[in-house]
Each structure stands twice: as C-alpha cells, then as structure tokens.
Amino acid sequence: MIAKLLIANRGEIACRIIRTARALGVATVAVYSDADAKALHVRQADEAVHIGPSPAAESYLVGERIIAAAKATGAEAVHPGYGFLSENADFAQAVLDAGLIWVGPKPASIRAMGLKDAAKQLMRAAGVPVTPGYDGSDQSVERLTKEAEAIGYPVLIKAVAGGGGKGMRKVDAPEDFVAALESCRREAKASFGNDEVLLEKWITSPRHIEVQVFGDAHGNVVHLFERDCSLQRRHQKVIEEAPAPGMDAATREAICAAAVRAAKAVDYEGAGTIEFIADASEGLRADRIFFMEMNTRLQVEHPVTEEITGVDLVEWQLRVASGEPVPLRQEELSINGWAIEARLYAEDPAKGFLPSPGRIDALFLDNRARIETGVEDGDEVNAFYDPMIAKIVVHGEDREAARQALLSALNNSYVAPLQTNQGFLFECAALDEFAHEELDTGLIEREGDALMPDTEPPQTVIDAAARRYRRDYLDWSQPSFTPEGALRSELFGFRLNADGRQTVVLHTSKGAKSGDSSRHDEDFGIPTTMTSDGVIFVTERGQTYVFSVRGDNSEGATAAHDGDILAPMPGKVIAVDVSEGQAVTAGQRLLVLEAMKMEHALTAPFDGVVAELSASEGAQVQVEALLARVVAAE
C-alpha cells in the first residue's frame, strides 16, 4: 500500500480523498494556492505545500510545481482527484517519469479517451453504439455548417476536449449555428486549451446514463452498475442517482457490458465512467442507448455508486495503484437500495444561477445525510474556482425513500449569507415528474420559473421567525409578558440572505413559553435556528430565510440606474461588442464576462444608445462594477 500520497486537487474532493487515506493509514500532502491558504483540505492534510497564485492556471494546473511538491515531501504517489489535471495525459506521464505512482489510468488510456471525436471512432471499432453525428478533422466553419444541416436541427456542438457542460451548445436553427459555434470554441479554448468541436444529433427525449467501471493491471475490468444524471441545467448535472429509474435487467446487462467493452478497448486501469445518452421516448431500451464519452477519472457523483454497492472507490483506486487486483469480482457486486446526490452550490437562482462567492458565516448541513464538503463556518467560497459548497447524498431502501430523505435533508440545512441553489434543489426533487420517474435532460428547462424558490418569506416563515424571536431573544421578565403569553407585534430588520434589508412586522402568536434554543420549532413544523448574536434562520422547501433582530432599517445603497450594466460577479471581460455612442436594441449582446470558467453574455435591457462604456477587453472587474450604461432611445 502507498505510504504517503499527494493530492493534486482542492475542496471537497481533496477532503474526500484525505478521509479514505487516513482510514488506510496513508499520510497525505495537500497543495494550495494563495486563495486556499486557509482551506479545509489544507487544514485536514498531514502536510501542505504552497504551489502558486490564486488563478488555477498559475497553481493547480502547473504540473511541475505539483511534482516538485511531491518530491520535496517524500510522497510516493499523486492522486489527481477530478477536474484540473486529472485527465491530462502529459501530466500523468510526467508523474510516472518522476518515479512517482499515478493514481489513475495509464497515460495512453487517457489519450485514447481524452478527445471525444477519437473516442467515438475507437468505440465504433469496439462494437459500442455511438450517437449519430460528425467527428471529422475538418474544423472549418463551412464544413461544420454543412454537416449540421446534414444531421438536421436541433444539433449539439461539443468541445472534443470538453467536460462539465463547458464548450457545449444546443442549436435549434441554422441562423444560430455560427454564433453558437464561436461561443463554444472560445469557451473550450479558455477551459481546455483546445477549440476543436464535434457535432451530434440532438436526441429529443434524452436520458443521461453512465456506468462506473474499474480496471486493474492484471487485466480485470468490472462495472459497478449505472447512475442516472438526467436532471441537468445547461448541461450541468444537478441531481444524480443510482441505479437508473426504469432500468430493466436486460437493458442494464447490455449497457454495462458495453461499458466493460469500452474500458477493455483502452486497456483501462483504475476508476472510470462510460457516459451514454439514451433515447427514452419509449422508455429505456438497449438499442436506443449510445456512447457519448469516457471520463478517465473519479466522478463528482461517485458517492451514489458507493452507497448502493457498499464499496469505497477511493480505497479501490489506492489499492489498484499499489499493484493489487480489483478487490471484488463482478459476481460479488450487487445493488442495495437507492441513492441520490444533490450538488449544493453558492449561486443565485434569481440571477440566472450566477456564482455567489463570499464568506460563509453560518453552515449547517443535515448530518443524517452523507455530506461531502470542503468548507466549514468562516471559510470562503472564492471566485477563482467551482462554487460548490457540498454534495448532499442520501440512501433509502427504494427510490421514494431516498427522495424523501433528500427533501428532508435539504429542508434541514442552511447556509448564510451566501445565495445558494438549495431551494431550487428542493423544488427539483419535489417535482411530480421526478417523483414518477418521468425525467430527461430537458425537464428543468421546461419547468423554468416553477422551480424558482420564493425570495419573499411566506407568512408561515414569518410566524416561525417571530415565535423563535419571542421565545429566545426577548426578555420574558418584562411586565408586558404574562405566563399565558400575549399577542404582540415586534418590529425588526429583515434580510433575505445578503441581498438587502427591509422592515417587516412580525405578528407573534399566543401561548409560547421560554426555553432553550433548538433547531426545530415544532409548533410550526418549520426548521428554525437562532444564533447567539440574534440572527434567525428559517428554512422552508429548502429555501433559507435570514432574519436580523437588531432593528437595522437602513435603506441601503441607492438603486442602480435601469440602464446600468453591472458585473454580476468578479470576472474577466473577454469580448466587447459595442462602442460608446452606438445604438443598440433590447437583448443585443454588449459584452461577455468570463467567471468561474463560464461565459456570461450581458445584453441591452431595452432599445437605446450606449452612453458610457467602462469595460475593455481583458480587464478584470469586481462584482457590481459599472461596465456600460444604456440610455433609452428618444
């Protein structure tokens, strides 16, 4: 077994690897950037090495520094986690060339599956069904446009080196193709250093099914069954589960066998995932499931597979990297119950899910669920990396039991003052279609605003906050209170997360008596918490409302002019499409901001003229910086 392991990653995945390594008696070395100097994974590791400035390109993506850190600390092996350099064949080879153990597949396997076009060609040769489309070497706009027309709209543009929904665009009509291609290429170049794309036929009732595979150096390859990742928003996975709803035994056998063939075709070692897209218009059928790509690493959603199989995939990775065979034979693996995972992010659903970085002042995640996190109270979700706060993972004897456990966990957790997608996750899991297994990758888009949680607190929430306030904050020795209680109205400042304050009147009810603070207000059936400094958290349908009892009735900053184009988050201006004095129309793109590895187009709010242009291409801007101002047309 490896004695000392360097983890070339950060956040929740680094903490996840540290947990298993500690259980196996393996010492750990963390690496960190300036922004992560006080991060949880740094605090948890046995040792930590600084590797550079905050931008990932200057720290976590600099392989030479990571290898130097391993050498300096005496680490024997490097675990890449996922993201960053985890699927970089050159880095894997450099680790091996340095005399270190690479906890992952051979560099040749990574190269074989690293580009989606080459991988599809390889899978065809291995007898694995692939999605109809174009994956040729001619990348001219003219050829791609012609191929898109031949495939038939809608089509999907995908970066050949992409992942995580980046560098991917659905195009519904020919007139939109070139602009989508340009945006896709730019995003792919920024994220992966490769702007080549492939085209696929858009499947109208798509299900995203993936199979966990595991191989070793002794020629063994097993599968650990399938996961369903169909609940997505803009190609980003939101909720994942295992096994897949509606999967019969024959279809499972066919798709898992195809996944094993795919892994064997590249002589695969370690943990990997074969991703398929299923045409579910007539349910899951073996002849309507197509290979999409292979992820040659551990996946974000690996905990749901662990929950239904009872294995520790990180332990398997370390054992196989140490030369051991895969710990279990195929016939020894089975499915037990159901698991669901929800990804909790610091992002604002009310603002198009823009990242909401900042300090976490209060964090409680229901410990009845399995929690995978890289932050604690007082930590920062910074703007340089993925804004994930935690993965909330639940297990039940069947799918409905697991779904109810997820709803309960989301309704018994809170994060403040950051905006999060917690309420959105609750509404997704509460959907009738999700409950009845009627899901596909377009479900969230179709539901739209119905999944947006209330930003204003309902009366039940206000009542619960008032009751908590009266019980735990007010001085019960005052004459205005009697043992029987009294009707009373209290005025205090209300704030919803960190978005501003307003004054509300809370109408308290009769009959409460003083007692110790607890998480649940049983009279209202709504989880409530009160902190020692007089802040009340109330969660309903997963949405957390934050009340301040200090009576802060300040009006706050003056509202921005309607035509002000403000930066929704810290980021880099990568394109400016207009000039000062130019006439623009409502919805016209003015500029593009890159943040959290994603592009965000900012558009004109109405017909008018660009009266002021503060942004310039390449400029780094802070949140709410004025980028441009549009005045209405005369």
Side-chain angles (χ1 to χ4, degrees), residues 278-299:
D279 178 352
S281 56
E282 298 180 13
L284 293 179
R285 288 174 33 179
D287 62 347
R288 294 194 179 185
I289 299 179
F290 307 102
F291 170 85
M292 287 198 301
E293 64 189 51
M294 182 177 190
N295 290 302
T296 52
R297 52 171 168 79
L298 199 64
Q299 290 276 92

Side-chain angles (χ1 to χ4, degrees), residues 23-48:
L24 294 174
V26 177
T28 55
V29 180
V31 292
Y32 65 93
S33 67
D34 290 347
D36 278 340
K38 298 180 180 179
L40 183 60
H41 75 279
V42 174
R43 303 196 299 269
Q44 288 186 345
D46 298 305
E47 298 176 59

Side-chain angles (χ1 to χ4, degrees), residues 64 81 132 158 178-179 218 257 346 441 505 539 592 613 619:
E64 296 85 353
K158 295 174 68 174
V178 173
H218 307 280
T441 59
V505 176
T539 304
V592 179
L613 185 63

Side-chain angles (χ1 to χ4, degrees), residues 110-125 130-131 133-139 144 158-162 194-200 291-294:
I110 298 175
R111 288 192 179 95
M113 288 299 200
L115 296 179
K116 292 181 174 63
D117 52 352
K120 288 181 69 174
Q121 294 158 13
L122 182 62
M123 291 301 100
R124 285 194 194 99
V130 301
T131 313
Y134 172 75
D135 50 35
S137 59
D138 187 344
Q139 291 284 302
L144 291 170
K158 295 174 68 174
V160 300
N194 185 335
D195 66 356
E196 292 188 9
V197 302
L198 58 81
L199 307 178
E200 288 181 351
F291 170 85
M292 287 198 301
E293 64 189 51
M294 182 177 190

Side-chain angles (χ1 to χ4, degrees), residues 482-495:
T482 67
E484 293 78 25
L487 284 173
R488 183 180 175 91
S489 293
E490 297 297 337
L491 185 68
F492 62 86
F494 161 73
R495 62 183 174 91

Side-chain angles (χ1 to χ4, degrees), residues 134-153 155-158 160 177-178 181-182 185 195-200:
Y134 172 75
D135 50 35
S137 59
D138 187 344
Q139 291 284 302
S140 67
V141 174
E142 294 76 16
R143 178 62 183 272
L144 291 170
T145 301
K146 182 179 179 181
E147 292 292 342
E149 291 171 354
I151 293 168
Y153 288 91
V155 297
L156 186 64
I157 306 174
K158 295 174 68 174
V160 300
F177 182 80
V178 173
L181 175 63
E182 175 190 89
R185 279 179 159 168
D195 66 356
E196 292 188 9
V197 302
L198 58 81
L199 307 178
E200 288 181 351

